[in-house]
Amino acid sequence: MSEPTTVHPTALVDAGAQIGEGTRVWAFTHILSGAAVGGACNICDHVFIEGGVRVGDRVTVKSGVQLWNGITLEDDVFVGPNATFTNDLFPRSRVQPEEFAQTLVRKGASIGANATVLAGRTIGANAMIGAGAVVTQDVPPNAIVTGNPARITGYVSTRRKGPIKAEADAASPGPLPPAPRALSVAGAELRPMPLVNDLRGSLTFGQEGLHLPFAPRRYFVIFNVPGKEVRGEHAHRTLHQLLVCLKGSVRVMVDDGKERDEVMLDRPELGLYVRPLVWAAQFHYSADAVLLVLASDVYDPGDYIRSYEEFLRAVRA
């Protein structure tokens, strides 16, 4: 049995505003006509909600937050105290745009205290916006962003896997190379690569059937990436990939729709094997990072899944 809807005596809920069952509206809050607030929400003191706002179920909006026309909060969103939203990129006094920018906060996302979200941005599902962050770009699903401007610093619910030490001199015809190390994510694994050291320098390599899990038909190299940038953020339908950081370091997030892992690649004798239908993103590139990617097929834009929601549907299918 759900709790009744309660509105504090000092709150103003205009006629025509919709308030769902079990929602609590606290002191000195004002909700304008036309606004729609779902069920089981917690709307705290001194919150202002304009008439074009849509708020899903089980949403928490802490004190001192204003929600302007064009803002939508999906189910289970958390908005921290004094977080600031905007809906006009070029505001002028007494001049309204023909249409307010649409800002969407997807299901389960959290926005920390005093964060600022610029107009027209989308905050991905389950994303985490750090306190005081200034969001100037769309935030991918599950990403953790902090700073001004906000940059990705990690992903929620990831298990970091430290680099494993590959056995030396697998080039000799002796024992087989070390076994791959499975991750929590189905469809991804760490693979030690051969390393040969002598007075002339170091060498690492990969051979199909022994070290490489597929026959490569293409390769590409990523380098000179500013440390604040994120690459990847997609999955493949049929393509297999092997990632090896030849120089420097880079973090890779892999996601199978249920589990999420974060891997540090920081040596050429360590590879990350990513099978089809695994969502992956690379971030925290060091200034000198050089990332080699071996692919099982030639480039096919139709093989990419660039929407996380579409990826989840494909996994479920």
mmCIF file with all atom_site columns, all heavy atoms in Angstrom, residues 44-48 61-66 80-84:
data_model
loop_
_atom_site.group_PDB
_atom_site.id
_atom_site.type_symbol
_atom_site.label_atom_id
_atom_site.label_alt_id
_atom_site.label_comp_id
_atom_site.label_asym_id
_atom_site.label_entity_id
_atom_site.label_seq_id
_atom_site.pdbx_PDB_ins_code
_atom_site.Cartn_x
_atom_site.Cartn_y
_atom_site.Cartn_z
_atom_site.occupancy
_atom_site.B_iso_or_equiv
_atom_site.pdbx_formal_charge
_atom_site.auth_seq_id
_atom_site.auth_comp_id
_atom_site.auth_asym_id
_atom_site.auth_atom_id
_atom_site.pdbx_PDB_model_num
ATOM 1   N N   . CYS A 1 44 ? 11.810 18.668 -2.047  1.00 0.00 ? 44 CYS A N   1
ATOM 2   C CA  . CYS A 1 44 ? 12.201 19.266 -0.765  1.00 0.00 ? 44 CYS A CA  1
ATOM 3   C C   . CYS A 1 44 ? 11.913 20.770 -0.712  1.00 0.00 ? 44 CYS A C   1
ATOM 4   O O   . CYS A 1 44 ? 11.372 21.355 -1.649  1.00 0.00 ? 44 CYS A O   1
ATOM 5   C CB  . CYS A 1 44 ? 13.667 18.975 -0.502  1.00 0.00 ? 44 CYS A CB  1
ATOM 6   S SG  . CYS A 1 44 ? 14.017 17.213 -0.305  1.00 0.00 ? 44 CYS A SG  1
ATOM 7   N N   . ASP A 1 45 ? 12.289 21.393 0.404   1.00 0.00 ? 45 ASP A N   1
ATOM 8   C CA  . ASP A 1 45 ? 11.997 22.812 0.637   1.00 0.00 ? 45 ASP A CA  1
ATOM 9   C C   . ASP A 1 45 ? 12.579 23.711 -0.452  1.00 0.00 ? 45 ASP A C   1
ATOM 10  O O   . ASP A 1 45 ? 13.652 23.445 -0.995  1.00 0.00 ? 45 ASP A O   1
ATOM 11  C CB  . ASP A 1 45 ? 12.589 23.259 1.985   1.00 0.00 ? 45 ASP A CB  1
ATOM 12  C CG  . ASP A 1 45 ? 11.908 22.604 3.180   1.00 0.00 ? 45 ASP A CG  1
ATOM 13  O OD1 . ASP A 1 45 ? 11.014 21.765 2.963   1.00 0.00 ? 45 ASP A OD1 1
ATOM 14  O OD2 . ASP A 1 45 ? 12.286 22.936 4.312   1.00 0.00 ? 45 ASP A OD2 1
ATOM 15  N N   . HIS A 1 46 ? 11.845 24.812 -0.718  1.00 0.00 ? 46 HIS A N   1
ATOM 16  C CA  . HIS A 1 46 ? 12.335 25.890 -1.589  1.00 0.00 ? 46 HIS A CA  1
ATOM 17  C C   . HIS A 1 46 ? 12.693 25.391 -2.993  1.00 0.00 ? 46 HIS A C   1
ATOM 18  O O   . HIS A 1 46 ? 13.699 25.800 -3.575  1.00 0.00 ? 46 HIS A O   1
ATOM 19  C CB  . HIS A 1 46 ? 13.552 26.585 -0.954  1.00 0.00 ? 46 HIS A CB  1
ATOM 20  C CG  . HIS A 1 46 ? 13.238 27.249 0.344   1.00 0.00 ? 46 HIS A CG  1
ATOM 21  N ND1 . HIS A 1 46 ? 12.631 28.488 0.430   1.00 0.00 ? 46 HIS A ND1 1
ATOM 22  C CD2 . HIS A 1 46 ? 13.442 26.844 1.628   1.00 0.00 ? 46 HIS A CD2 1
ATOM 23  C CE1 . HIS A 1 46 ? 12.479 28.827 1.706   1.00 0.00 ? 46 HIS A CE1 1
ATOM 24  N NE2 . HIS A 1 46 ? 12.956 27.844 2.453   1.00 0.00 ? 46 HIS A NE2 1
ATOM 25  N N   . VAL A 1 47 ? 11.869 24.513 -3.538  1.00 0.00 ? 47 VAL A N   1
ATOM 26  C CA  . VAL A 1 47 ? 12.026 24.057 -4.925  1.00 0.00 ? 47 VAL A CA  1
ATOM 27  C C   . VAL A 1 47 ? 10.987 24.775 -5.778  1.00 0.00 ? 47 VAL A C   1
ATOM 28  O O   . VAL A 1 47 ? 9.838  24.967 -5.356  1.00 0.00 ? 47 VAL A O   1
ATOM 29  C CB  . VAL A 1 47 ? 11.847 22.524 -5.024  1.00 0.00 ? 47 VAL A CB  1
ATOM 30  C CG1 . VAL A 1 47 ? 11.765 22.079 -6.484  1.00 0.00 ? 47 VAL A CG1 1
ATOM 31  C CG2 . VAL A 1 47 ? 13.002 21.816 -4.329  1.00 0.00 ? 47 VAL A CG2 1
ATOM 32  N N   . PHE A 1 48 ? 11.387 25.170 -6.992  1.00 0.00 ? 48 PHE A N   1
ATOM 33  C CA  . PHE A 1 48 ? 10.483 25.825 -7.934  1.00 0.00 ? 48 PHE A CA  1
ATOM 34  C C   . PHE A 1 48 ? 10.416 24.987 -9.203  1.00 0.00 ? 48 PHE A C   1
ATOM 35  O O   . PHE A 1 48 ? 11.449 24.640 -9.782  1.00 0.00 ? 48 PHE A O   1
ATOM 36  C CB  . PHE A 1 48 ? 10.979 27.234 -8.266  1.00 0.00 ? 48 PHE A CB  1
ATOM 37  C CG  . PHE A 1 48 ? 10.124 27.961 -9.260  1.00 0.00 ? 48 PHE A CG  1
ATOM 38  C CD1 . PHE A 1 48 ? 8.862  28.414 -8.922  1.00 0.00 ? 48 PHE A CD1 1
ATOM 39  C CD2 . PHE A 1 48 ? 10.572 28.173 -10.556 1.00 0.00 ? 48 PHE A CD2 1
ATOM 40  C CE1 . PHE A 1 48 ? 8.065  29.083 -9.840  1.00 0.00 ? 48 PHE A CE1 1
ATOM 41  C CE2 . PHE A 1 48 ? 9.783  28.830 -11.489 1.00 0.00 ? 48 PHE A CE2 1
ATOM 42  C CZ  . PHE A 1 48 ? 8.524  29.290 -11.132 1.00 0.00 ? 48 PHE A CZ  1
ATOM 43  N N   . VAL A 1 61 ? 14.313 15.653 -5.409  1.00 0.00 ? 61 VAL A N   1
ATOM 44  C CA  . VAL A 1 61 ? 14.826 16.987 -5.742  1.00 0.00 ? 61 VAL A CA  1
ATOM 45  C C   . VAL A 1 61 ? 15.086 17.693 -4.420  1.00 0.00 ? 61 VAL A C   1
ATOM 46  O O   . VAL A 1 61 ? 14.147 18.026 -3.683  1.00 0.00 ? 61 VAL A O   1
ATOM 47  C CB  . VAL A 1 61 ? 13.826 17.787 -6.605  1.00 0.00 ? 61 VAL A CB  1
ATOM 48  C CG1 . VAL A 1 61 ? 14.419 19.155 -6.953  1.00 0.00 ? 61 VAL A CG1 1
ATOM 49  C CG2 . VAL A 1 61 ? 13.466 17.013 -7.869  1.00 0.00 ? 61 VAL A CG2 1
ATOM 50  N N   . LYS A 1 62 ? 16.348 17.920 -4.107  1.00 0.00 ? 62 LYS A N   1
ATOM 51  C CA  . LYS A 1 62 ? 16.717 18.512 -2.825  1.00 0.00 ? 62 LYS A CA  1
ATOM 52  C C   . LYS A 1 62 ? 16.499 20.019 -2.834  1.00 0.00 ? 62 LYS A C   1
ATOM 53  O O   . LYS A 1 62 ? 16.186 20.636 -3.850  1.00 0.00 ? 62 LYS A O   1
ATOM 54  C CB  . LYS A 1 62 ? 18.171 18.174 -2.492  1.00 0.00 ? 62 LYS A CB  1
ATOM 55  C CG  . LYS A 1 62 ? 18.465 16.677 -2.427  1.00 0.00 ? 62 LYS A CG  1
ATOM 56  C CD  . LYS A 1 62 ? 17.679 15.978 -1.325  1.00 0.00 ? 62 LYS A CD  1
ATOM 57  C CE  . LYS A 1 62 ? 18.232 16.247 0.059   1.00 0.00 ? 62 LYS A CE  1
ATOM 58  N NZ  . LYS A 1 62 ? 17.538 15.433 1.099   1.00 0.00 ? 62 LYS A NZ  1
ATOM 59  N N   . SER A 1 63 ? 16.686 20.630 -1.682  1.00 0.00 ? 63 SER A N   1
ATOM 60  C CA  . SER A 1 63 ? 16.332 22.034 -1.469  1.00 0.00 ? 63 SER A CA  1
ATOM 61  C C   . SER A 1 63 ? 17.113 22.977 -2.383  1.00 0.00 ? 63 SER A C   1
ATOM 62  O O   . SER A 1 63 ? 18.275 22.730 -2.726  1.00 0.00 ? 63 SER A O   1
ATOM 63  C CB  . SER A 1 63 ? 16.588 22.412 -0.014  1.00 0.00 ? 63 SER A CB  1
ATOM 64  O OG  . SER A 1 63 ? 15.809 21.606 0.854   1.00 0.00 ? 63 SER A OG  1
ATOM 65  N N   . GLY A 1 64 ? 16.445 24.066 -2.761  1.00 0.00 ? 64 GLY A N   1
ATOM 66  C CA  . GLY A 1 64 ? 17.107 25.130 -3.502  1.00 0.00 ? 64 GLY A CA  1
ATOM 67  C C   . GLY A 1 64 ? 17.265 24.878 -4.981  1.00 0.00 ? 64 GLY A C   1
ATOM 68  O O   . GLY A 1 64 ? 18.075 25.536 -5.635  1.00 0.00 ? 64 GLY A O   1
ATOM 69  N N   . VAL A 1 65 ? 16.494 23.962 -5.557  1.00 0.00 ? 65 VAL A N   1
ATOM 70  C CA  . VAL A 1 65 ? 16.608 23.618 -6.982  1.00 0.00 ? 65 VAL A CA  1
ATOM 71  C C   . VAL A 1 65 ? 15.449 24.252 -7.749  1.00 0.00 ? 65 VAL A C   1
ATOM 72  O O   . VAL A 1 65 ? 14.312 24.262 -7.273  1.00 0.00 ? 65 VAL A O   1
ATOM 73  C CB  . VAL A 1 65 ? 16.607 22.095 -7.180  1.00 0.00 ? 65 VAL A CB  1
ATOM 74  C CG1 . VAL A 1 65 ? 16.574 21.737 -8.663  1.00 0.00 ? 65 VAL A CG1 1
ATOM 75  C CG2 . VAL A 1 65 ? 17.821 21.475 -6.503  1.00 0.00 ? 65 VAL A CG2 1
ATOM 76  N N   . GLN A 1 66 ? 15.760 24.797 -8.935  1.00 0.00 ? 66 GLN A N   1
ATOM 77  C CA  . GLN A 1 66 ? 14.724 25.315 -9.826  1.00 0.00 ? 66 GLN A CA  1
ATOM 78  C C   . GLN A 1 66 ? 14.723 24.487 -11.109 1.00 0.00 ? 66 GLN A C   1
ATOM 79  O O   . GLN A 1 66 ? 15.769 24.289 -11.726 1.00 0.00 ? 66 GLN A O   1
ATOM 80  C CB  . GLN A 1 66 ? 14.975 26.790 -10.175 1.00 0.00 ? 66 GLN A CB  1
ATOM 81  C CG  . GLN A 1 66 ? 14.946 27.730 -8.981  1.00 0.00 ? 66 GLN A CG  1
ATOM 82  C CD  . GLN A 1 66 ? 16.293 27.822 -8.290  1.00 0.00 ? 66 GLN A CD  1
ATOM 83  O OE1 . GLN A 1 66 ? 17.319 27.900 -8.940  1.00 0.00 ? 66 GLN A OE1 1
ATOM 84  N NE2 . GLN A 1 66 ? 16.270 27.821 -6.966  1.00 0.00 ? 66 GLN A NE2 1
ATOM 85  N N   . GLY A 1 80 ? 20.791 17.007 -6.333  1.00 0.00 ? 80 GLY A N   1
ATOM 86  C CA  . GLY A 1 80 ? 21.307 17.478 -5.063  1.00 0.00 ? 80 GLY A CA  1
ATOM 87  C C   . GLY A 1 80 ? 20.977 18.929 -4.781  1.00 0.00 ? 80 GLY A C   1
ATOM 88  O O   . GLY A 1 80 ? 20.545 19.676 -5.668  1.00 0.00 ? 80 GLY A O   1
ATOM 89  N N   . PRO A 1 81 ? 21.199 19.376 -3.539  1.00 0.00 ? 81 PRO A N   1
ATOM 90  C CA  . PRO A 1 81 ? 20.835 20.735 -3.144  1.00 0.00 ? 81 PRO A CA  1
ATOM 91  C C   . PRO A 1 81 ? 21.553 21.796 -3.973  1.00 0.00 ? 81 PRO A C   1
ATOM 92  O O   . PRO A 1 81 ? 22.738 21.689 -4.257  1.00 0.00 ? 81 PRO A O   1
ATOM 93  C CB  . PRO A 1 81 ? 21.247 20.798 -1.669  1.00 0.00 ? 81 PRO A CB  1
ATOM 94  C CG  . PRO A 1 81 ? 22.202 19.669 -1.468  1.00 0.00 ? 81 PRO A CG  1
ATOM 95  C CD  . PRO A 1 81 ? 21.808 18.612 -2.435  1.00 0.00 ? 81 PRO A CD  1
ATOM 96  N N   . ASN A 1 82 ? 20.751 22.797 -4.363  1.00 0.00 ? 82 ASN A N   1
ATOM 97  C CA  . ASN A 1 82 ? 21.254 23.974 -5.088  1.00 0.00 ? 82 ASN A CA  1
ATOM 98  C C   . ASN A 1 82 ? 21.865 23.648 -6.443  1.00 0.00 ? 82 ASN A C   1
ATOM 99  O O   . ASN A 1 82 ? 22.611 24.472 -6.996  1.00 0.00 ? 82 ASN A O   1
ATOM 100 C CB  . ASN A 1 82 ? 22.255 24.754 -4.229  1.00 0.00 ? 82 ASN A CB  1
ATOM 101 C CG  . ASN A 1 82 ? 21.622 25.264 -2.952  1.00 0.00 ? 82 ASN A CG  1
ATOM 102 O OD1 . ASN A 1 82 ? 20.608 25.951 -2.990  1.00 0.00 ? 82 ASN A OD1 1
ATOM 103 N ND2 . ASN A 1 82 ? 22.199 24.886 -1.817  1.00 0.00 ? 82 ASN A ND2 1
ATOM 104 N N   . ALA A 1 83 ? 21.591 22.458 -6.990  1.00 0.00 ? 83 ALA A N   1
ATOM 105 C CA  . ALA A 1 83 ? 21.982 22.192 -8.373  1.00 0.00 ? 83 ALA A CA  1
ATOM 106 C C   . ALA A 1 83 ? 21.229 23.162 -9.280  1.00 0.00 ? 83 ALA A C   1
ATOM 107 O O   . ALA A 1 83 ? 20.074 23.509 -9.029  1.00 0.00 ? 83 ALA A O   1
ATOM 108 C CB  . ALA A 1 83 ? 21.671 20.752 -8.753  1.00 0.00 ? 83 ALA A CB  1
ATOM 109 N N   . THR A 1 84 ? 21.885 23.610 -10.354 1.00 0.00 ? 84 THR A N   1
ATOM 110 C CA  . THR A 1 84 ? 21.329 24.652 -11.206 1.00 0.00 ? 84 THR A CA  1
ATOM 111 C C   . THR A 1 84 ? 21.138 24.146 -12.628 1.00 0.00 ? 84 THR A C   1
ATOM 112 O O   . THR A 1 84 ? 22.069 23.606 -13.231 1.00 0.00 ? 84 THR A O   1
ATOM 113 C CB  . THR A 1 84 ? 22.245 25.891 -11.220 1.00 0.00 ? 84 THR A CB  1
ATOM 114 O OG1 . THR A 1 84 ? 22.339 26.413 -9.895  1.00 0.00 ? 84 THR A OG1 1
ATOM 115 C CG2 . THR A 1 84 ? 21.703 26.960 -12.149 1.00 0.00 ? 84 THR A CG2 1
#
